């Protein structure tokens, strides 16, 4: 995971709790499996709930229904399958590796975060933060989203060969970055606090960046993050009303590039191939090779935050398990 999100998310190896799967009926007499602890290669023939404040670690588990991660709970799934959807409540955390989720993944307002690696899921939604004190994150690596990604809060990063089969839309996130990934629909990043970086990626549909406060970097040699190459854009790209700097370097744009209302004016390097030309205000064409060296490493800062969050969740879960022992 390059750039803003640094220290790679470590594999969770701690024991999350002392007990195993427990089953309890709901008010409607439908069975719901309550997971507090660890579970293996079994099939859960109904919905699964991780109760509030608890932790659950599953390996090779098949869940035939929906999954709910209650407030303050943690769910770590490796090599599993969920036939339904996964909903994560406020301060809840989902970590899915080599796992297929047939339905959608929804992180509630103030949700702690979602980490998907070598996974597959339906639509992924991060709800706006609202009045919640927790700022969410969505980190996706080597995964396929069979649908859309819609984010309204926190840190968002699509990385390492991730594919989104429909649109990616973010509004009001802390940042939204796309590295070495493919978006088969449109890409929209609006009003992001520290902007957006897109490197080494392909976007088939229209790309819109507007009202971002921390700048927009498309390709290498910008001030926000380090990366090796630009990207391919299947149609028009628009970067407007952005503060903090706009750099467009080493890209192929099979449409028109629009850069208007940016402060400072956008820097569009001479090495871009832009089929429809450039409209709007731009600085003299330049490729600032020194900028990358001087730029803060956003990946490192973000990865450190992610590592701290994940480590904290595991420590709390481990402590809870030890207490039960």
């Amino acid at each position: 995971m390059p750039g803003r999100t640094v220290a790679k998310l470590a594999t969770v190896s701690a024991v999350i709790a002392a007990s195993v799967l427990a089953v309890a009926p709901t008010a409607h007499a439908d069975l719901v499996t309550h997971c507090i602890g660890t579970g293996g290669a079994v099939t859960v023939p109904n919905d699964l709930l991780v109760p509030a404040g608890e932790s659950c670690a599953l390996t090779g588990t098949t869940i035939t229904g929906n999954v709910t991660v209650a407030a303050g709970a943690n769910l770590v799934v490796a090599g599993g399958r969920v036939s339904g959807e996964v909903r994560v409540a406020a301060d809840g955390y989902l970590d899915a590796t080599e796992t297929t989720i047939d339905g959608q993944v929804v992180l509630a307002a103030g949700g702690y975060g979602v980490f998907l690696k070598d996974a597959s899921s339906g639509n992924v939604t991060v709800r706006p933060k609202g009045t919640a004190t927790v700022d969410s994150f969505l980190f996706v690596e080597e995964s396929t989203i069979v649908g859309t990604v819609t984010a309204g809060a926190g840190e968002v990063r699509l990385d390492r060969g991730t594919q989104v089969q429909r649109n990616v839309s973010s509004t009001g996130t802390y940042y939204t970055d796309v590295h070495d990934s493919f978006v088969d629909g449109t890409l929209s990043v609006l009003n992001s606090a520290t902007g957006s970086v897109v490197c080494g990626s392909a976007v088939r549909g229209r790309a819109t960046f507007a009202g971002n406060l921390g700048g927009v970097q498309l390709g290498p040699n910008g001030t926000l993050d380090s990366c090796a190459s630009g990207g391919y854009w299947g149609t028009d790209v628009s970067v407007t009303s952005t503060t903090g700097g706009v750099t467009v370097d080493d890209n192929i744009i099979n449409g028109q590039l629009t850069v208007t209302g940016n402060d400072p004016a956008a820097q569009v390097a001479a090495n871009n191939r832009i089929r429809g030309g450039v409209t709007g205000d731009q600085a003299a064409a330049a490729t600032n090779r020194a900028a990358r060296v001087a730029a803060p490493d956003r990946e490192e800062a973000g990865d450190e935050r992610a590592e701290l969050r994940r480590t904290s969740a595991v420590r709390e879960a481990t402590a809870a398990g030890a207490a039960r022992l």
Side-chain angles (χ1 to χ4, degrees):
M1 189 182 271
R4 298 199 202 182
T5 43
V6 203
K8 289 184 180 178
L9 293 171
T11 301
V12 176
S13 58
V15 176
I16 288 195
S19 57
V20 294
L21 299 179
V23 179
T26 66
H28 302 289
D30 296 325
L31 289 178
V32 175
T33 297
H34 289 212
C35 182
I36 304 173
T38 60
V42 298
T43 296
V44 178
N46 42 51
D47 293 346
L48 183 138
L49 168 69
V50 184
E54 302 290 354
S55 293
C56 171
L58 301 175
T59 302
T61 305
T62 297
I63 302 162
T64 62
N66 300 317
V67 174
T68 299
V69 181
N74 304 304
L75 173 61
V76 178
V77 186
R81 185 177 191 103
V82 178
S83 297
E85 66 179 17
V86 179
R87 289 186 173 269
V88 184
D91 201 29
Y93 175 57
L94 169 67
D95 185 320
T97 302
E98 297 180 349
T99 293
T100 297
I101 301 170
D102 292 336
Q104 64 178 340
V105 174
V106 179
L107 184 64
Y112 189 70
V114 171
F115 177 58
L116 304 176
K117 183 173 182 180
D118 195 17
S120 174
S121 80
N123 297 338
V124 176
T125 301
V126 178
R127 301 291 190 198
K129 180 179 177 180
T131 58
T133 57
V134 175
D135 204 5
S136 308
F137 67 87
L138 169 64
F139 295 154
V140 185
E141 294 184 357
E142 303 172 291
S143 297
T144 299
I145 308 300
V146 186
T148 61
V149 173
T150 305
E155 304 167 55
V156 178
R157 186 182 181 93
L158 310 179
D159 201 357
R160 295 187 178 183
T162 289
Q163 298 184 40
V164 180
Q165 295 188 357
R166 295 181 64 190
N167 302 330
V168 174
S169 176
S170 82
T171 303
T173 60
Y174 183 65
Y175 64 75
T176 297
D177 291 355
V178 182
H179 281 258
D180 304 314
S181 296
F182 175 66
V183 178
D184 201 19
T186 61
L187 171 63
S188 174
V189 182
L190 310 178
N191 305 323
S192 189
T194 63
S196 180
V197 177
V198 182
C199 287
S201 299
V203 178
R204 187 183 296 273
R206 180 179 176 84
T208 304
F209 303 85
N212 296 295
L213 302 181
V216 170
Q217 177 184 330
L218 308 182
N221 303 306
T223 60
L224 297 181
D225 202 355
S226 62
C227 64
S229 65
Y232 172 80
W233 309 83
T235 183
D236 297 340
V237 176
S238 174
V239 186
T240 61
S241 304
T242 296
T243 59
V246 175
T247 57
V248 183
D249 182 36
D250 192 31
N251 291 275
I252 297 174
I253 300 176
N254 192 28
Q256 185 178 78
L257 172 64
T258 300
V259 283
T260 59
N262 302 304
D263 184 16
Q267 292 194 8
V268 181
N271 63 356
N272 292 288
R273 295 172 59 189
I274 305 173
R275 188 170 190 176
V278 183
T279 63
D281 304 322
Q282 60 174 311
T287 304
N288 188 354
R289 302 292 174 184
R292 184 171 65 178
V293 177
D297 196 332
R298 295 171 73 160
E299 178 186 17
E300 290 184 3
D303 277 347
E304 287 171 355
R305 285 192 294 270
E307 177 71 11
L308 287 172
R309 287 177 172 183
R310 201 171 189 196
T311 301
S312 176
V314 174
R315 284 176 177 170
E316 290 176 5
T318 305
R324 292 190 184 91
L325 288 173

